[in-house]
Amino acid sequence: MSRGSVPVVRLPLPLSAEILLARGTAGLSRVLGTGGGTTVPGKLLWKLDPGAVDRLAARLPHGSALVSATNGKTTTAAMVARILGPSRRLAHNHSGANLVSGVASALLAARDADLGLFEVDEAALPEVARRLRPRALSLGNLFRDQLDRYGELELLAERWRETARELPPEATLVVNGDDPQVGDLARERPGSTVFGLDDPRHASTELQHAADSKWCVRCGTPYAYSAAYIGHLGDYRCEACGHRRPPLDVLARAIELNGLESVSFELVTPEGTRRVDLAVPGLYNVYNALAAASLARALGSSVDSIQAGLQGFSAAFGRFERIAIGDRSLLVLLIKNPAGANEVVRTLVAGGAPRLLLVALNDEIADGRDVSWIWDVDFEPLLEGLDRLIAGGERAAELALRFKYAGLPADAIEVIPSLEEGLDRALALMSPGSELVALPTYTAMLGLRDLVGRRGFVKPYWEEAA
Amino acid sequence: MKIVVGHLFPDYLNIYADRGNMAVLDRRAAWRGHELEVRPLGPGAEIRPGEHDLYYVGGGQDREQELIAPALAAMGDALREAVAGGAAALAVCGGYQLLGRFYRDQSGDELPGARLLPLHTVAGKQRMIGDVLLECELEPGKKRTLAGFENHAGRTHLDDGAEPLGRVLAGFGNDGASGHEGCRAGRVIGTYLHGPLLPRNPWLADWLLSQALAHRTGELPKLEPLPDELEAEAHAVSAARARSRGGRY
């Protein structure tokens, strides 16, 4: 080396300095009013040193557990958090920031956590799993969702297959056996936990329009369903090659649906059977509860603590959330894809379909820029008894067309793109003591929550406990 | 008047809200006193030329397209005869590709097409995804726009002299390079636009209904106008999206 030349060495910041710097930005993000700081610190850490995420996760004494699915990620993870709450200090991305940056932010925020619990975006799962080396992974379902972002379903399923193959050998894989593509992942991995429903009384005989994986994953023949529960989820078999639902390890039977209020079922596990009364409604929440129970079981929870946790669960962020607004209340049900929205509709109708409805359709990246999915939702059952629709959000007119061509008279539809004006109009139409049902897409849900937050009816999401 | 629609492979090709297109055709026919009867044509169905006034083929994912391409191609002769007899057709996205000569995927494998449209499609690496806006002139001197959303890996190449459905004002179109979108051959229309296509572009729904009625009655009908304020608003929002964020290289 000649005199005067200085070797260029990039001095890595110590992890602790990176953490301090990144954490500081969360406060800044809130002070600036730009959000909850749920992704900004993680994004900064990510920029500073992508490997820091791996090292932060490796510090957790009890490791990490991941939850992914098209529908039910946030609720399933919130249920697991409730089950584990008494015994673990969690790092948990409870407000749904589920890309690598959201996971990194949750790791940064939970200083003394001993277990990581993360819901993970379907497309981000391969990378998050590679970095976190989870000890348990729950895969719930794959439905058509945001094809503009994820591409086709088959590609996603193939990436999940690779992720399952590359899990650490000691990790537990939990899969929904009722979803043909997801359930098939258990075949390659002995010791996987398979969950599903076993109550054909609640099955429909026909597949819904939004059913996706209708063809045998091996030979392409249409599956025969002895029970179809939600979309293509059910008890299927291929009459050509014999591919069928794998045997269930954790299942729900004797399900009692109680309209908009609740659902109860018998939870059957290898360690015992318990009756579970959930305070959230619908078959889809039974699936979420089964995924949560299976994952908690993989993390060492007893059947009794699983039962207690599930029964103590109320609602996850923006999913079936009731907010009191003076003498009225607002019921927020997130809609984001056909299969999920169909279940929201089915549950609403079972509880007595509303006469006034606020539906808000945005088309930001987080909602999906392609709004064609609303035409695949079975909104029709809501039309009976519906007097007035407030169509809101950036694509309010498109939504209005969906209902117009479903048969709702045009004079029963009000197009109000502004969320604030739409909410106020709906509240003005309500009688005291009544409840407004709102079906927003993701960013519209954030917008509505922000509105009622500014009016003092709900805490900002970053201040809420998990 | 009854209009009979042959809906090709509805169980397989339905990914981008194709039933929205069907709902629009159904209602707009009913509001003019006509009845739309939709007959699903699945694997093994026989096409009897003259029976259907309008054919519809929707979009599917690669797997679904692979499953039905040979069956659809085998219907090609009968479909061409039906169209030569005056039947109309609308094909969207995957269905559009399958009405050409062939679709070649990334591994070089070819799916056969039904040969209703003078084109072929070759899969590219980068998907073309985004809002899109076209200017069409189906009837000379009558320029109208179509607004929709595209999401395709295939690059569709029209034969020399073939007529595109429209000129791309914003978005990728057939191949991201030619400035053309879709293909029109007489009463047969193929396009990548979903969203779905017809609710926010009701003029095209009415054009298709008119062609179907002409096939049935022998003369082009005069459809009475409908109050389309909501449709116009949805079109305007979609068109603005294409202008502000439509796909480009």
Side-chain angles (χ1 to χ4, degrees):
Chain A
M1 190 184 299
S2 64
R3 274 174 72 92
S5 88
V6 181
V8 180
V9 178
R10 184 180 173 273
L11 287 172
L13 283 170
L15 188 55
S16 54
E18 291 171 354
I19 291 171
L20 278 176
L21 187 56
R23 269 190 192 134
T25 62
L28 192 62
S29 152
R30 287 194 286 267
V31 169
L32 293 174
T34 50
T38 53
T39 59
V40 176
K43 276 185 188 153
L44 181 64
L45 182 67
W46 184 241
K47 282 254 156 72
L48 287 171
D49 177 7
V53 177
D54 317 28
R55 298 202 297 281
L56 276 174
R59 286 177 171 186
L60 295 164
H62 291 285
S64 294
L66 307 182
V67 175
S68 197
T70 305
N71 288 318
K73 293 182 285 288
T74 305
T75 299
T76 299
M79 286 173 166
V80 177
R82 188 80 199 190
I83 296 167
L84 299 175
S87 57
R88 290 278 174 263
R89 293 184 308 278
L90 297 175
H92 175 203
N93 54 345
H94 62 90
S95 62
N98 58 19
L99 302 177
V100 184
S101 55
V103 171
S105 289
L107 280 165
L108 279 168
R111 291 153 203 243
D112 56 352
D114 57 13
L115 176 74
L117 171 63
F118 304 108
E119 66 155 283
V120 185
D121 174 86
E122 305 89 284
L125 181 68
E127 168 148 30
V128 173
R130 205 160 49 240
R131 292 190 176 280
L132 267 59
R133 313 274 304 152
R135 55 183 281 218
L137 166 64
S138 167
L139 298 176
N141 51 67
L142 277 175
F143 286 102
R144 64 173 82 171
D145 180 27
Q146 298 197 17
L147 293 155
D148 55 317
R149 218 178 107 216
Y150 297 134
E152 301 189 345
L153 206 60
E154 298 284 332
L155 295 174
L156 210 47
E158 194 44 45
R159 297 182 66 195
W160 275 22
R161 188 173 288 281
E162 283 162 25
T163 298
R165 279 190 195 130
E166 289 164 10
L167 284 176
E170 67 284 3
T172 305
L173 177 67
V174 171
V175 298
N176 183 348
D178 286 1
D179 187 319
Q181 300 217 63
V182 179
D184 198 51
L185 301 180
R187 266 170 242 278
E188 292 183 25
R189 200 176 170 88
S192 298
T193 303
V194 180
F195 67 85
L197 301 192
D198 184 20
D199 193 347
R201 292 177 307 142
H202 295 289
S204 45
T205 46
E206 269 183 59
L207 281 178
Q208 288 169 345
H209 182 79
D212 291 306
S213 304
K214 299 184 283 193
W215 327 107
C216 177
V217 296
R218 283 198 203 143
C219 74
T221 306
Y223 282 118
Y225 277 81
S226 62
Y229 295 106
I230 294 175
H232 57 260
L233 307 184
D235 189 359
Y236 50 87
R237 75 184 178 288
C238 172
E239 279 163 354
C241 78
H243 183 259
R244 61 190 303 158
R245 178 171 79 162
L248 304 178
D249 304 302
V250 173
L251 58 93
R253 64 186 183 203
I255 300 166
E256 301 300 331
L257 294 165
N258 179 22
L260 260 185
E261 301 308 314
S262 60
V263 59
S264 75
F265 61 97
E266 227 169 70
L267 172 68
V268 181
T269 76
E271 292 76 34
T273 298
R274 298 287 184 279
R275 189 88 204 159
V276 173
D277 298 307
L278 279 183
V280 287
L283 273 185
Y284 59 103
N285 276 314
V286 178
Y287 273 116
N288 292 335
L290 288 177
S294 304
L295 193 64
R297 183 176 165 264
L299 297 168
S301 296
S302 68
V303 194
D304 288 322
S305 59
I306 289 171
Q307 181 196 32
L310 290 176
Q311 298 199 145
F313 172 80
S314 50
F317 181 71
R319 279 86 175 163
F320 206 79
E321 200 174 27
R322 276 204 164 91
I323 299 165
I325 300 184
D327 60 0
R328 279 141 235 226
S329 68
L330 175 66
L331 178 61
V332 181
L333 297 122
L334 173 72
I335 56 169
K336 54 178 192 170
N337 53 43
N342 280 346
E343 290 317 299
V344 164
V345 169
R346 179 147 84 161
T347 306
L348 270 180
V349 169
R355 295 175 61 192
L356 167 70
L357 190 62
L358 170 64
V359 187
L361 175 65
N362 278 354
D363 65 350
E364 304 298 326
I365 288 174
D367 305 292
R369 289 185 155 185
D370 179 0
V371 297
S372 63
W373 64 273
I374 62 166
W375 293 86
D376 283 331
V377 179
D378 295 319
F379 283 116
E380 279 72 6
L382 285 174
L383 260 57
E384 199 174 324
L386 187 63
D387 292 335
R388 185 147 300 265
L389 170 75
I390 310 289
E394 293 151 4
R395 302 302 291 268
E398 185 81 22
L399 190 73
L401 286 182
R402 173 68 186 88
F403 280 82
K404 174 181 172 179
Y405 282 99
L408 191 65
D411 59 8
I413 303 172
E414 293 183 38
V415 179
I416 309 178
S418 151
L419 290 178
E420 181 149 30
E421 288 166 26
L423 179 65
D424 283 336
R425 172 67 181 149
L427 290 173
L429 288 167
M430 294 166 68
S431 50
S434 63
E435 180 164 81
L436 172 64
V437 176
L439 309 181
T441 60
Y442 186 73
T443 67
M445 183 270 283
L446 295 182
L448 273 179
R449 262 182 133 267
D450 184 46
L451 267 175
V452 294
R454 276 192 272 134
R455 295 179 186 186
F457 296 114
V458 66
K459 277 197 244 171
Y461 62 90
W462 55 90
E463 285 179 11
E464 288 186 5
Chain B
M1 188 67 62
K2 183 189 272 189
I3 301 167
V4 179
V5 178
H7 190 170
L8 289 155
F9 303 97
D11 288 341
Y12 291 80
L13 303 176
N14 62 22
I15 193 161
Y16 293 121
D18 291 298
R19 74 173 172 174
N21 287 331
M22 300 308 279
V24 169
L25 291 171
D26 179 80
R27 295 278 163 176
R28 296 183 77 84
W31 288 330
R32 273 79 169 240
H34 303 295
E35 186 199 343
L36 200 76
E37 185 191 324
V38 180
R39 298 182 185 161
L41 297 169
E46 198 191 333
I47 309 265
R48 285 174 294 271
E51 182 181 340
H52 307 100
D53 306 305
L54 172 66
Y55 291 95
Y56 184 81
V57 206
Q61 306 199 52
D62 282 352
R63 179 168 164 81
E64 276 84 10
Q65 285 182 220
E66 280 165 32
L67 287 171
I68 57 89
L72 178 56
M75 293 174 178
D77 286 343
L79 285 172
R80 278 196 304 279
E81 191 184 331
V83 164
L90 173 63
V92 175
C93 202
Y96 167 44
Q97 296 171 341
L98 293 179
L99 288 199
R101 279 200 306 279
F102 61 85
Y103 173 86
R104 188 183 300 142
D105 70 17
Q106 291 205 33
S107 57
D109 291 340
E110 280 187 14
L111 293 181
R115 297 170 173 268
L116 257 71
L117 291 171
L119 55 88
H120 68 275
T121 303
V122 178
K125 278 210 174 64
Q126 198 79 29
R127 285 190 85 84
M128 298 191 270
I129 303 176
D131 298 276
V132 51
L133 182 66
L134 316 182
E135 184 180 70
C136 308
E137 194 174 346
L138 292 190
E139 288 142 24
K142 217 167 178 182
K143 287 188 178 167
R144 287 173 292 204
T145 51
L146 287 175
F149 198 93
E150 61 185 326
N151 182 351
H152 51 109
R155 272 73 172 151
T156 294
H157 304 285
L158 305 187
D159 292 358
D160 286 342
E163 183 186 346
L165 170 62
R167 188 169 65 84
V168 176
L169 298 178
F172 291 110
N174 278 340
D175 54 6
S178 64
H180 292 156
E181 206 292 321
C183 184
R184 184 251 180 126
R187 290 170 169 172
V188 182
I189 285 187
T191 177
Y192 277 115
L193 271 65
H194 66 262
L197 175 67
L198 299 180
R200 53 175 97 136
N201 301 292
W203 69 262
L204 184 62
D206 288 352
W207 186 87
L208 288 164
L209 287 174
S210 296
Q211 305 306 314
L213 283 163
H215 174 255
R216 172 106 334 202
T217 64
E219 62 181 310
L220 209 57
K222 187 122 182 77
L223 292 178
E224 58 189 275
L226 296 169
D228 283 333
E229 289 82 5
L230 281 177
E231 287 81 352
E233 199 176 331
H235 178 94
V237 176
S238 181
R241 284 286 191 262
R243 288 199 175 95
S244 67
R245 68 183 195 193
R248 56 183 66 89
Y249 281 114

